[in-house]
Amino acid sequence: VQLQASGGGLVQAGGSLSLSCAASGRSFSRYAMSWFRQAPGKDREFVAGSSRADGNTYYADSVKGRFTISRDNAKNTVYLQMNSLKPEDTAVYYCGTRIGFSVEAGIYENWGQGTQVTVSS
């Protein structure tokens, strides 16, 4: 599976951004899709995930109530709607995929190229 992320940018605190991650391949619905982020000097951290076709979603505590992950299996795309953005959300955001859902970045098999999100105060 190859992933292409898009939608990052610069926004003021309190604003919103929407990220997209388009996947190639025919078995998109079999894969868990997740978003991670990595700020300078920090490890890649879990943000939100969608486990295969049953639609279960998971969020890091830091983004609960502000971010929403969704997926469109017909379009092989996963989205991340980010509202009420804070300066601490500033990072490069990556989409990742693997067969089973996990919050551990190290075991994901495929990654998109990353998209920068910058939130100004």
Side-chain angles (χ1 to χ4, degrees):
V1 177
Q2 292 184 330
L3 305 174
Q4 180 73 35
S6 61
L10 172 64
V11 66
Q12 288 188 333
S16 298
L17 280 174
S18 181
L19 306 182
S20 299
C21 177
S24 63
R26 299 180 180 179
S27 302
F28 176 79
S29 62
R30 297 179 55 220
Y31 288 84
M33 298 294 298
S34 296
W35 289 96
F36 289 75
R37 65 188 181 188
Q38 189 165 17
K42 294 189 176 181
D43 292 335
R44 192 169 296 190
E45 66 173 1
F46 172 76
V47 174
S50 171
S51 65
R52 301 206 297 180
D54 58 15
N56 288 340
T57 57
Y58 305 87
Y59 297 93
D61 288 343
S62 59
V63 306
K64 265 179 198 174
R66 299 188 298 122
F67 291 11
T68 303
I69 187 171
S70 60
R71 63 191 294 164
D72 185 336
N73 290 332
K75 295 183 178 179
N76 284 6
T77 301
V78 63
Y79 306 95
L80 185 67
Q81 177 64 40
M82 305 184 294
N83 298 328
S84 302
L85 282 160
K86 303 175 181 180
E88 51 263 44
D89 294 319
T90 296
V92 177
Y93 283 69
Y94 297 89
C95 56
T97 182
R98 66 184 309 273
I99 292 294
F101 170 74
S102 174
V103 300
E104 298 295 330
I107 62 173
Y108 274 70
E109 297 140 1
N110 299 286
W111 292 100
Q113 83 284 9
T115 184
Q116 177 70 47
V117 171
T118 303
V119 184
S120 62
S121 57

